[in-house]
Amino acid sequence: MVQDIPVLEAGLHLGEDGRVRCGWHGGLPDYLLYHDTEWGFPVDNDRRLFEKICLEGFQSGLSWLTILRKRENFRRAFAEFDFHKMTQFTEEDVERLMQDKGIVRHRGKIKSAINNAGRAIDLIAEKGSLAAYFWSFEPQPKDRPARFDLAAYKANPLTEISTRISKDLKKHGWSFVGPTTVYAFMQAMGLVNDHLEGCYCRPVIERLRQDFVRPA
């Protein structure tokens, strides 16, 4: 039984509610909620996709928990990640954001998010939607491990596909979208199901992915 597998070996954690989960949430309530209700759930909303890839860029060199706890501040600071509004940001807005203690005050990342808003609009004009673009890169089952346990996860921190997306985004003028950032985005937005075998969310996500209508 899953409960008998040592947590550190299996990467799993038995919660106080009796549910077995991926252990990376560390039992922290906000991180646990994110694991249970967001991470890996398939997303086809352009604004949510744009927000996530921007926040993954801000995470670079930091932890996702740091960004998660500042997420509402980021939303407020960046016009709810409405990329049309963000393209109107000026140097004054950059300076305003550099003074905002509620977000990560990194000039390069701030300017990157603003730049990427314009690039998102260009990509939508070319591909129809961000959702159609990103989901066109969804890995096929044959390209995924037959059993996704901790060993498979450690052996697969990146994929050829995340590298390909990264290169293509950069070709389209995006920044702070390296392969590690892109793979974290793929995990979170449901392009892959990286909940570990034994985590109660894994079959939930599998059912959602089966019913999910891929954007075209």
Side-chain angles (χ1 to χ4, degrees):
M1 296 192 50
V2 172
Q3 290 89 335
D4 296 329
I5 301 174
V7 169
L8 293 179
E9 287 186 25
L12 297 168
H13 177 268
L14 178 61
E16 294 181 358
D17 59 1
R19 284 178 161 173
V20 176
R21 298 174 172 86
C22 306
W24 52 256
H25 60 78
L28 300 170
D30 48 357
Y31 221 9
L32 190 150
L33 181 65
Y34 175 73
H35 169 276
D36 285 4
T37 63
E38 291 189 57
W39 195 71
F41 286 63
V43 174
D44 62 0
N45 178 277
D46 278 5
R47 190 182 298 194
R48 282 194 60 198
L49 291 165
F50 179 70
E51 172 188 287
K52 182 59 176 172
I53 202 156
C54 285
L55 292 179
E56 290 292 352
F58 274 101
Q59 181 194 345
S60 179
L62 303 170
S63 72
W64 173 246
L65 184 58
T66 296
I67 303 302
L68 180 64
R69 289 177 171 173
K70 293 177 179 286
R71 186 166 61 174
E72 290 304 320
N73 297 331
F74 274 107
R75 288 171 173 168
R76 191 161 47 249
F78 285 93
E80 302 296 323
F81 289 96
D82 182 328
F83 34 81
H84 293 284
K85 291 180 179 178
M86 285 175 60
T87 60
Q88 304 303 311
F89 281 18
T90 65
E91 284 299 321
E92 289 184 1
D93 290 295
V94 173
E95 295 306 319
R96 167 181 62 84
L97 293 166
M98 284 295 295
Q99 302 304 314
D100 190 337
K101 296 180 180 179
I103 66 170
V104 173
R105 294 181 289 175
H106 184 291
R107 188 176 298 273
K109 293 177 180 180
I110 289 170
K111 297 187 83 167
S112 172
I114 297 169
N115 166 75
N116 290 350
R119 304 294 71 75
I121 292 172
D122 293 342
L123 200 56
I124 290 169
E126 180 182 344
K127 303 294 185 179
S129 67
L130 293 182
Y133 172 77
F134 285 118
W135 279 94
S136 71
F137 290 97
E138 180 186 11
Q140 296 301 306
K142 65 181 178 60
D143 298 320
R144 297 284 293 160
R147 175 178 174 80
F148 199 79
D149 55 14
L150 189 60
Y153 180 82
K154 289 181 175 180
N156 188 39
L158 298 177
T159 67
E160 179 273 331
I161 292 175
S162 69
T163 301
R164 182 147 46 94
I165 296 172
S166 172
K167 289 180 178 179
D168 194 64
L169 286 172
K170 289 176 181 178
K171 185 177 72 175
H172 282 84
W174 292 62
S175 53
F176 278 92
V177 286
T180 302
T181 293
V182 171
Y183 191 69
F185 167 84
M186 292 171 65
Q187 289 176 306
M189 297 289 95
L191 275 77
V192 294
N193 181 3
D194 275 5
H195 285 275
L196 299 178
E197 300 287 348
C199 172
Y200 93 93
C201 284
R202 184 169 180 82
V204 173
I205 299 299
E206 282 301 298
R207 288 193 295 271
L208 289 173
R209 283 174 47 77
Q210 288 172 9
D211 295 339
F212 182 69
V213 178
R214 273 62 175 170

